[in-house]
Protein backbone atom coordinates (compact mmCIF):
# COMPACT_ATOMS: atom_id res chain seq x y z
CA UNK A 1 0.00 0.00 0.00
CA UNK A 2 0.98 3.69 -0.39
CA UNK A 3 1.23 4.09 3.43
CA UNK A 4 3.67 1.19 3.70
CA UNK A 5 5.79 2.64 0.88
CA UNK A 6 5.89 6.06 2.62
CA UNK A 7 6.98 4.43 5.92
CA UNK A 8 9.76 2.54 4.15
CA UNK A 9 10.90 5.76 2.45
CA UNK A 10 10.97 7.57 5.83
CA UNK A 11 13.04 4.78 7.37
CA UNK A 12 15.49 4.91 4.48
CA UNK A 13 15.89 8.70 4.76
CA UNK A 14 16.52 8.45 8.54
CA UNK A 15 19.10 5.72 7.97
CA UNK A 16 20.78 7.72 5.19
CA UNK A 17 20.97 10.83 7.41
CA UNK A 18 22.44 8.89 10.35
CA UNK A 19 24.98 7.21 8.09
CA UNK A 20 26.05 10.58 6.62
CA UNK A 21 26.49 12.15 10.08
CA UNK A 22 28.36 9.07 11.28
CA UNK A 23 30.67 9.15 8.26
CA UNK A 24 31.41 12.88 8.57
CA UNK A 25 32.06 12.60 12.31
CA UNK A 26 34.35 9.64 11.79
CA UNK A 27 36.31 11.79 9.36
CA UNK A 28 36.38 14.79 11.67
CA UNK A 29 37.08 12.88 14.88
CA UNK A 30 38.98 9.66 14.13
CA UNK A 31 39.59 7.92 17.48
CA UNK A 32 43.37 7.94 17.10
CA UNK A 33 44.79 6.41 20.24
CA UNK A 34 48.23 7.99 19.86
CA UNK A 35 47.26 11.45 18.61
CA UNK A 36 49.42 14.24 20.01
CA UNK A 37 47.85 16.67 22.48
CA UNK A 38 47.37 19.60 20.06
CA UNK A 39 46.05 17.39 17.24
CA UNK A 40 43.67 15.60 19.59
CA UNK A 41 42.32 18.85 21.04
CA UNK A 42 41.84 20.28 17.56
CA UNK A 43 39.93 17.22 16.38
CA UNK A 44 37.70 17.21 19.44
CA UNK A 45 36.98 20.91 19.02
CA UNK A 46 35.89 20.42 15.41
CA UNK A 47 33.66 17.47 16.20
CA UNK A 48 30.34 17.44 14.38
CA UNK A 49 28.29 16.52 17.45
CA UNK A 50 28.45 16.02 21.20
CA UNK A 51 27.24 12.46 20.68
CA UNK A 52 30.41 11.67 18.72
CA UNK A 53 32.59 13.05 21.53
CA UNK A 54 30.71 10.91 24.04
CA UNK A 55 31.18 7.88 21.81
CA UNK A 56 34.93 8.56 21.68
CA UNK A 57 35.02 8.86 25.45
CA UNK A 58 33.21 5.53 25.83
CA UNK A 59 35.65 3.99 23.37
CA UNK A 60 38.55 5.40 25.38
CA UNK A 61 37.01 4.05 28.56
CA UNK A 62 36.76 0.58 27.05
CA UNK A 63 40.36 0.80 25.83
CA UNK A 64 41.47 1.92 29.29
CA UNK A 65 39.73 -1.04 30.89
CA UNK A 66 41.32 -3.52 28.49
CA UNK A 67 44.73 -1.89 29.00
CA UNK A 68 44.44 -2.72 32.68
CA UNK A 69 43.94 -6.40 32.01
CA UNK A 70 40.43 -6.33 33.45
CA UNK A 71 41.33 -4.58 36.70
CA UNK A 72 38.48 -2.11 36.23
CA UNK A 73 35.96 -4.91 36.72
CA UNK A 74 36.35 -4.38 40.45
CA UNK A 75 35.10 -0.83 40.07
CA UNK A 76 32.24 -1.66 37.72
CA UNK A 77 30.28 -3.37 40.45
CA UNK A 78 30.62 -0.50 42.93
CA UNK A 79 29.94 2.37 40.47
CA UNK A 80 26.52 2.83 38.91
CA UNK A 81 27.15 4.19 35.42
CA UNK A 82 29.63 5.98 33.19
CA UNK A 83 29.47 9.79 33.38
CA UNK A 84 31.33 12.82 32.07
CA UNK A 85 32.67 14.71 35.05
CA UNK A 86 35.26 17.34 35.79
CA UNK A 87 38.50 16.06 37.37
CA UNK A 88 38.64 15.44 41.14
CA UNK A 89 42.44 15.66 41.05
CA UNK A 90 45.10 17.32 38.93
CA UNK A 91 48.82 16.73 38.45
CA UNK A 92 49.76 20.41 38.18
CA UNK A 93 53.56 20.28 37.98
CA UNK A 94 56.38 20.48 37.47
CA UNK A 95 57.83 20.20 33.99
CA UNK A 96 60.68 17.63 33.81
CA UNK A 97 59.93 16.56 37.38
CA UNK A 98 58.39 13.15 36.64
CA UNK A 99 54.74 14.02 35.98
CA UNK A 100 54.36 11.60 33.07
CA UNK A 101 55.67 8.74 35.21
CA UNK A 102 53.19 9.55 38.01
CA UNK A 103 50.33 9.70 35.49
CA UNK A 104 51.24 6.38 33.86
CA UNK A 105 51.77 4.69 37.22
CA UNK A 106 48.54 5.93 38.86
CA UNK A 107 46.33 5.16 35.87
CA UNK A 108 46.86 1.42 36.31
CA UNK A 109 44.75 1.74 39.47
CA UNK A 110 41.22 0.45 38.76
CA UNK A 111 39.63 3.40 40.56
CA UNK A 112 41.39 6.06 38.47
CA UNK A 113 40.49 7.27 34.99
CA UNK A 114 43.05 9.66 33.52
CA UNK A 115 43.30 11.77 30.38
CA UNK A 116 46.45 10.73 28.50
CA UNK A 117 47.19 14.06 26.79
CA UNK A 118 47.81 17.44 28.43
CA UNK A 119 44.71 19.60 27.85
CA UNK A 120 46.34 22.88 29.01
CA UNK A 121 42.86 24.12 29.92
CA UNK A 122 43.71 26.35 32.88
CA UNK A 123 46.61 28.06 31.11
CA UNK A 124 46.05 28.12 27.33
CA UNK A 125 42.48 27.00 26.61
CA UNK A 126 40.43 28.53 29.41
CA UNK A 127 38.35 30.63 27.01
CA UNK A 128 36.95 27.43 25.47
CA UNK A 129 34.80 26.97 28.54
CA UNK A 130 34.16 24.34 31.19
CA UNK A 131 31.84 22.24 29.00
CA UNK A 132 34.63 21.86 26.44
CA UNK A 133 37.01 20.79 29.22
CA UNK A 134 34.51 18.31 30.66
CA UNK A 135 34.05 16.83 27.19
CA UNK A 136 37.75 15.94 27.01
CA UNK A 137 37.64 13.82 30.16
CA UNK A 138 37.41 10.03 29.94
CA UNK A 139 34.03 8.61 30.89
CA UNK A 140 34.21 7.72 34.56
CA UNK A 141 32.23 5.62 37.01
CA UNK A 142 30.77 7.41 40.02
CA UNK A 143 33.19 5.50 42.25
CA UNK A 144 36.28 6.45 40.22
CA UNK A 145 38.59 9.49 40.34
CA UNK A 146 38.95 11.56 37.17
CA UNK A 147 42.47 12.90 36.70
CA UNK A 148 44.44 15.00 34.23
CA UNK A 149 47.99 16.37 34.21
CA UNK A 150 49.40 19.60 32.79
CA UNK A 151 52.78 20.48 34.38
CA UNK A 152 52.70 24.14 33.31
CA UNK A 153 49.75 24.84 35.64
CA UNK A 154 52.10 25.12 38.63
CA UNK A 155 53.89 28.15 37.18
CA UNK A 156 50.81 29.79 35.62
CA UNK A 157 49.70 32.79 37.65
CA UNK A 158 45.97 32.41 36.87
CA UNK A 159 45.77 28.62 37.26
CA UNK A 160 45.10 28.40 41.04
CA UNK A 161 42.22 30.90 40.89
CA UNK A 162 40.70 29.20 37.85
CA UNK A 163 40.98 25.71 39.33
CA UNK A 164 39.54 26.94 42.61
CA UNK A 165 36.55 28.39 40.75
CA UNK A 166 35.95 24.90 39.27
CA UNK A 167 36.09 23.32 42.73
CA UNK A 168 37.52 24.36 46.10
CA UNK A 169 38.03 20.66 46.91
CA UNK A 170 40.26 19.67 43.98
CA UNK A 171 43.26 17.58 45.04
CA UNK A 172 46.57 18.76 43.60
CA UNK A 173 49.67 16.64 42.95
CA UNK A 174 53.01 18.42 42.44
CA UNK A 175 56.03 16.37 41.35
CA UNK A 176 59.22 18.22 42.30
CA UNK A 177 62.89 17.50 41.65
CA UNK A 178 66.25 19.07 42.45
CA UNK A 179 65.83 22.40 40.64
CA UNK A 180 69.36 22.32 39.18
CA UNK A 181 68.88 18.83 37.71
CA UNK A 182 65.41 19.86 36.54
CA UNK A 183 66.83 22.92 34.73
CA UNK A 184 69.51 20.83 32.99
CA UNK A 185 66.85 18.30 31.94
CA UNK A 186 64.67 21.13 30.65
CA UNK A 187 67.58 22.55 28.65
CA UNK A 188 68.46 19.09 27.28
CA UNK A 189 64.90 18.69 25.98
CA UNK A 190 64.93 22.14 24.34
CA UNK A 191 68.36 21.50 22.81
CA UNK A 192 67.07 18.30 21.16
CA UNK A 193 64.47 20.42 19.33
CA UNK A 194 66.55 23.57 18.78
CA UNK A 195 70.25 22.65 18.38
CA UNK A 196 71.30 26.27 17.74
CA UNK A 197 70.34 27.73 21.12
CA UNK A 198 73.05 29.29 23.37
CA UNK A 199 74.86 27.16 25.94
CA UNK A 200 73.26 26.34 29.28
CA UNK A 201 75.72 28.63 31.07
CA UNK A 202 74.92 31.57 28.79
CA UNK A 203 71.19 31.21 29.42
CA UNK A 204 71.45 30.53 33.16
CA UNK A 205 73.55 33.58 34.10
CA UNK A 206 73.36 37.31 33.53
CA UNK A 207 76.94 37.51 34.80
CA UNK A 208 78.63 34.23 35.65
CA UNK A 209 81.72 35.75 37.29
CA UNK A 210 79.49 37.72 39.67
CA UNK A 211 77.18 34.72 40.11
CA UNK A 212 74.15 36.66 38.83
CA UNK A 213 71.53 34.09 37.81
CA UNK A 214 69.00 35.00 35.11
CA UNK A 215 65.67 34.33 36.83
CA UNK A 216 63.77 35.43 33.73
CA UNK A 217 64.83 32.21 31.98
CA UNK A 218 61.94 29.80 32.40
CA UNK A 219 64.21 26.80 33.06
CA UNK A 220 65.58 28.61 36.13
CA UNK A 221 62.33 30.21 37.26
CA UNK A 222 60.32 26.97 37.37
CA UNK A 223 62.67 25.60 40.06
CA UNK A 224 61.96 28.49 42.45
CA UNK A 225 59.15 26.34 43.83
CA UNK A 226 58.31 28.39 46.91
CA UNK A 227 57.42 31.46 44.81
CA UNK A 228 54.86 29.48 42.81
CA UNK A 229 53.57 27.63 45.88
CA UNK A 230 52.76 30.90 47.65
CA UNK A 231 50.41 31.74 44.79
CA UNK A 232 48.61 28.39 45.17
CA UNK A 233 48.26 28.78 48.93
CA UNK A 234 46.12 31.86 48.37
CA UNK A 235 43.43 29.56 46.96
CA UNK A 236 44.08 26.06 48.37
CA UNK A 237 44.89 24.55 51.74
CA UNK A 238 48.27 22.84 52.01
CA UNK A 239 46.41 19.64 52.94
CA UNK A 240 44.93 19.64 49.43
CA UNK A 241 48.40 19.43 47.91
CA UNK A 242 50.67 16.40 47.75
CA UNK A 243 54.33 16.74 46.81
CA UNK A 244 56.00 13.80 45.07
CA UNK A 245 59.80 13.54 45.10
CA UNK A 246 61.06 13.03 41.56
CA UNK A 247 64.21 11.43 42.99
CA UNK A 248 62.32 8.93 45.18
CA UNK A 249 60.01 8.18 42.27
CA UNK A 250 63.10 6.62 40.64
CA UNK A 251 64.64 4.91 43.69
CA UNK A 252 61.38 3.83 45.37
CA UNK A 253 58.46 4.08 42.92
CA UNK A 254 56.17 1.83 44.98
CA UNK A 255 56.72 3.92 48.12
CA UNK A 256 56.05 7.22 46.35
CA UNK A 257 52.98 5.84 44.58
CA UNK A 258 51.76 4.37 47.87
CA UNK A 259 51.70 7.89 49.31
CA UNK A 260 49.93 9.21 46.18
CA UNK A 261 47.26 6.53 46.59
CA UNK A 262 46.84 7.45 50.26
CA UNK A 263 46.46 11.13 49.34
CA UNK A 264 43.77 10.32 46.76
CA UNK A 265 41.94 8.12 49.26
CA UNK A 266 42.60 4.97 47.23
CA UNK A 267 43.39 1.45 48.37
CA UNK A 268 47.12 0.68 47.94
CA UNK A 269 46.90 -1.53 44.88
CA UNK A 270 50.02 -0.28 43.04
CA UNK A 271 52.95 -1.94 44.84
CA UNK A 272 56.49 -3.26 44.27
CA UNK A 273 55.17 -6.09 42.12
CA UNK A 274 54.20 -3.58 39.40
CA UNK A 275 57.72 -2.21 38.79
CA UNK A 276 61.11 -3.21 37.45
CA UNK A 277 64.18 -1.01 36.98
CA UNK A 278 65.19 -0.31 33.38
CA UNK A 279 68.99 0.09 33.43
CA UNK A 280 69.08 1.55 29.90
CA UNK A 281 66.70 4.39 30.72
CA UNK A 282 67.79 4.72 34.33
CA UNK A 283 64.31 4.70 35.85
CA UNK A 284 61.51 2.27 36.76
CA UNK A 285 59.06 0.86 34.25
CA UNK A 286 55.78 -0.96 34.74
CA UNK A 287 55.90 -4.71 34.35
CA UNK A 288 53.88 -5.90 31.40
CA UNK A 289 50.15 -6.16 32.02
CA UNK A 290 48.49 -9.52 31.30
CA UNK A 291 46.84 -8.05 28.21
CA UNK A 292 50.14 -7.01 26.61
CA UNK A 293 53.31 -8.71 25.41
CA UNK A 294 55.41 -5.61 26.15
CA UNK A 295 56.38 -3.91 29.44
CA UNK A 296 55.19 -0.30 29.71
CA UNK A 297 58.09 2.14 29.68
CA UNK A 298 57.94 5.86 29.05
CA UNK A 299 58.78 7.09 25.54
CA UNK A 300 62.19 7.79 24.02
CA UNK A 301 61.97 11.46 25.06
CA UNK A 302 62.22 10.31 28.69
CA UNK A 303 65.55 9.33 30.18
CA UNK A 304 67.71 11.32 27.76
CA UNK A 305 71.37 11.66 28.69
CA UNK A 306 71.78 15.15 30.13
CA UNK A 307 74.10 17.72 28.62
CA UNK A 308 77.39 17.79 30.53
CA UNK A 309 77.57 20.95 32.65
CA UNK A 310 80.69 22.25 34.39
CA UNK A 311 80.64 21.38 38.11
CA UNK A 312 81.33 25.00 39.07
CA UNK A 313 78.15 26.06 37.27
CA UNK A 314 76.18 23.38 39.13
CA UNK A 315 77.65 24.51 42.46
CA UNK A 316 76.76 28.15 41.75
CA UNK A 317 73.17 27.21 40.91
CA UNK A 318 72.90 24.97 43.99
CA UNK A 319 73.95 27.98 46.07
CA UNK A 320 71.41 30.18 44.31
CA UNK A 321 68.53 27.75 44.92
CA UNK A 322 69.43 26.93 48.55
CA UNK A 323 67.37 29.66 50.28
CA UNK A 324 64.38 28.94 48.01
CA UNK A 325 64.70 25.21 48.77
CA UNK A 326 64.92 25.72 52.54
CA UNK A 327 61.78 27.90 52.56
CA UNK A 328 60.02 25.31 50.40
CA UNK A 329 60.98 22.47 52.79
CA UNK A 330 59.72 24.47 55.77
CA UNK A 331 56.43 25.33 54.09
CA UNK A 332 55.55 21.80 52.92
CA UNK A 333 57.05 20.07 55.98
CA UNK A 334 59.29 17.79 53.92
CA UNK A 335 63.06 17.74 53.32
CA UNK A 336 63.80 16.71 49.75
CA UNK A 337 67.57 16.65 50.42
CA UNK A 338 68.63 18.59 47.34
CA UNK A 339 71.52 20.32 49.08
Amino acid sequence: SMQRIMLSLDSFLVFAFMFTVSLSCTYLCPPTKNAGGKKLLGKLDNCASLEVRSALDESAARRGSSDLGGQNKASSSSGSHWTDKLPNALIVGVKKGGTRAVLEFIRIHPDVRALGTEPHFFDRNYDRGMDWYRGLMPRTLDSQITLEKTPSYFVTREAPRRISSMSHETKLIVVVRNPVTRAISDYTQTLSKKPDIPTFEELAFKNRSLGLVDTSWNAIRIGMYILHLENWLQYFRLSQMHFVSGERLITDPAGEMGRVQDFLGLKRIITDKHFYFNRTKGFPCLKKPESSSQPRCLGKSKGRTHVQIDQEVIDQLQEFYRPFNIKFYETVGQDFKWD
Side-chain angles (χ1 to χ4, degrees):
S1 68
M2 182 61 69
Q3 190 176 10
R4 193 171 294 172
I5 291 169
M6 292 299 291
L7 284 171
S8 298
L9 183 60
D10 284 346
S11 299
F12 173 78
L13 289 172
V14 169
F15 172 79
F17 173 76
M18 290 176 68
F19 177 78
T20 304
V21 170
S22 172
L23 191 62
S24 65
C25 288
T26 302
Y27 173 75
L28 286 167
C29 306
T32 48
K33 188 174 181 182
N34 296 317
K38 289 181 182 176
K39 289 182 182 176
L40 177 62
L41 295 180
K43 285 172 183 169
L44 284 171
D45 204 37
N46 292 325
C47 224
S49 71
L50 288 173
E51 286 78 15
V52 173
R53 189 178 294 182
S54 295
L56 284 176
D57 283 341
E58 287 194 58
S59 169
R62 285 194 295 273
R63 284 202 304 272
S65 297
S66 63
D67 284 348
L68 301 180
Q71 287 186 79
N72 268 339
K73 290 176 183 174
S75 294
S76 301
S77 58
S78 57
S80 53
H81 61 283
W82 297 100
T83 56
D84 291 319
K85 65 183 182 187
L86 292 165
N88 321 76
L90 301 170
I91 300 172
V92 297
V94 300
K95 181 185 179 186
K96 305 310 292 179
T99 58
R100 172 56 62 178
V102 172
L103 180 76
E104 292 303 325
F105 295 165
I106 196 63
R107 72 193 304 195
I108 69 172
H109 198 292
D111 291 325
V112 172
R113 296 284 298 124
L115 182 64
T117 54
E118 296 175 6
H120 285 280
F121 177 62
F122 294 105
D123 57 354
R124 300 178 194 165
N125 293 303
Y126 196 63
D127 59 344
R128 293 180 185 240
M130 206 62 75
D131 287 340
W132 177 86
Y133 182 53
R134 186 198 304 269
L136 296 179
M137 295 302 127
R139 307 212 93 194
T140 313
L141 292 170
D142 293 339
S143 59
Q144 292 175 312
I145 288 172
T146 307
L147 179 75
E148 71 108 326
K149 79 109 177 168
T150 304
S152 51
Y153 289 164
F154 190 65
V155 297
T156 299
R157 188 81 193 162
E158 304 80 18
R161 176 181 55 78
R162 290 170 173 176
I163 294 168
S164 176
S165 70
M166 174 182 74
S167 171
H168 291 299
E169 302 306 314
T170 307
K171 292 189 173 185
L172 307 166
I173 296 170
V174 189
V175 190
V176 288
R177 179 185 188 184
N178 184 320
V180 180
T181 316
R182 198 221 65 80
I184 296 169
S185 178
D186 200 335
Y187 175 79
T188 301
Q189 183 182 54
T190 305
L191 188 66
S192 71
K193 299 173 184 175
K194 301 175 183 176
D196 298 329
I197 60 171
T199 66
F200 179 85
E201 292 90 331
E202 288 174 288
L203 292 167
F205 292 92
K206 287 180 180 177
N207 186 318
R208 166 114 188 260
S209 60
L210 295 176
L212 291 176
V213 174
D214 190 349
T215 57
S216 67
W217 185 33
N218 211 35
I220 292 293
R221 190 161 188 79
I222 289 172
M224 299 159 72
Y225 302 135
I226 186 60
L227 300 186
H228 309 298
L229 178 59
E230 285 170 350
N231 184 33
W232 286 86
L233 292 178
Q234 292 180 47
Y235 298 90
F236 291 96
R237 303 180 305 277
L238 195 60
S239 60
Q240 287 175 261
M241 306 184 78
H242 178 72
F243 299 90
V244 176
S245 164
E247 286 81 15
R248 286 198 301 266
L249 194 61
I250 293 172
T251 58
D252 181 23
E256 278 303 287
M257 293 311 298
R259 286 181 280 275
V260 170
Q261 290 169 92
D262 293 345
F263 171 68
L264 294 175
L266 299 168
K267 184 180 177 183
R268 283 199 179 198
I269 287 175
I270 304 163
T271 61
D272 277 322
K273 68 182 181 182
H274 288 94
F275 300 99
Y276 77 96
F277 192 80
N278 184 310
R279 295 185 183 282
T280 305
K281 282 186 169 291
F283 55 70
C285 296
L286 292 168
K287 289 180 180 174
K288 71 180 183 68
E290 293 172 13
S291 59
S292 170
S293 60
Q294 295 293 324
R296 288 171 59 183
C297 260
L298 302 184
K300 63 182 180 180
S301 66
K302 309 298 180 182
R304 285 192 189 97
T305 303
H306 286 182
V307 175
Q308 287 298 306
I309 305 297
D310 188 79
Q311 187 59 45
E312 282 186 22
V313 170
I314 292 173
D315 292 343
Q316 280 181 291
L317 288 176
Q318 287 279 76
E319 195 62 35
F320 164 77
Y321 278 120
R322 185 168 287 111
F324 295 99
N325 292 344
I326 290 169
K327 184 79 187 296
F328 181 65
Y329 299 166
E330 290 172 351
T331 305
V332 305
Q334 189 177 159
D335 185 350
F336 291 90
K337 304 185 185 305
W338 294 325
D339 300 300

